Amino acid sequence: MHTTPATAAATASGPVPAPGIPHAEGVSNDDFRAAMAKLAAGVVLVTAFDEDAGPHGENAGMTATAFVSVSLDPPLVMVSLRNGSRMDDLLTEQPLWAVSVLSESQRHIAGRFAMKGRLSDRLLFEDIPYRPGTISGAPLVGGALATLECRTEQRVLAGDHTLVIGRVLEVGLPSAEGGPLLYFKGRYRQLG
């Protein structure tokens, strides 16, 4: 490989960006957030059971829009968790968790679990119909379009978030009606 003094110096200090492409350091948080707000995302509730919390354990949950299918064989999914969040801390210790794909009629559930400075985990689940998963023990929300029970396979640190890759151990396809709950331009929305 032929190197010039400029490419040799750049290679010694890190990767060389492609010609004409600016360094990522020039992207502001506000611009990045605004761009990502234009990407519609499905809304899920990620839950886990914390058996170490109190005498009878405690359910924990969080709303997520950064959730995707990763692989069919084996069946893998990924959720992005803010570092140091309650769910990030819990899934560091607890390998089993669940996902409920929320329907358009479950906007109130998404909003409740996304609140900053929210209620205690015990109160979050009050008056929300759910059943414990048969494998994970984590809450599976009634009326969800689909449910998945997962076991953490890998955790990948990515900036201020951790990507948790889980193997899907069980899938539930309830007969819930309606369309998906979406998140677009900073608001919950529905199709149509």
Side-chain angles (χ1 to χ4, degrees):
M1 176 173 144
H2 176 70
T3 59
T4 66
T7 58
T11 305
S13 63
V16 179
I21 298 177
H23 289 283
E25 288 83 15
V27 176
S28 76
N29 288 350
D30 290 341
D31 287 348
F32 182 64
R33 187 176 290 115
M36 291 299 95
K38 309 266 181 177
L39 176 65
V43 182
V44 302
L45 185 67
V46 178
T47 58
F49 181 72
D50 183 1
E51 57 190 29
D52 295 331
H56 305 293
E58 189 170 271
N59 291 318
M62 63 161 266
T63 303
T65 55
F67 175 78
V68 294
S69 166
V70 174
S71 167
L72 287 175
D73 187 16
L76 299 173
V77 293
M78 184 198 72
V79 64
S80 179
L81 305 176
R82 184 175 44 80
N83 294 338
S85 66
R86 164 94 163 100
M87 191 60 67
D88 179 44
D89 291 344
L90 180 55
L91 294 190
T92 299
E93 303 297 324
Q94 164 62 280
L96 298 174
W97 44 285
V99 175
S100 297
V101 179
L102 299 181
S103 73
E104 60 194 0
S105 66
Q106 295 178 313
R107 179 186 306 217
H108 65 289
I109 295 173
R112 180 185 291 187
F113 283 86
M115 288 188 302
K116 292 185 179 181
R118 58 188 199 184
L119 305 165
S120 75
D121 284 326
R122 263 189 223 293
L123 295 176
L124 280 172
F125 287 92
E126 196 170 273
D127 77 0
I128 292 178
Y130 72 88
R131 68 173 179 80
T134 55
I135 295 172
S136 66
L140 302 172
V141 176
L145 297 176
T147 61
L148 304 109
E149 292 188 74
C150 307
R151 181 186 67 233
T152 299
E153 295 278 304
Q154 187 176 3
R155 294 173 57 88
V156 179
L157 186 61
D160 59 2
H161 278 62
T162 296
L163 308 178
V164 179
I165 298 171
R167 180 182 293 254
V168 179
L169 305 174
E170 177 112 341
V171 171
L173 297 169
S175 58
E177 304 222 356
L181 181 61
L182 300 175
Y183 193 71
F184 180 66
K185 290 188 175 179
R187 293 179 52 209
Y188 296 116
R189 306 192 184 231
Q190 57 194 58
L191 292 177

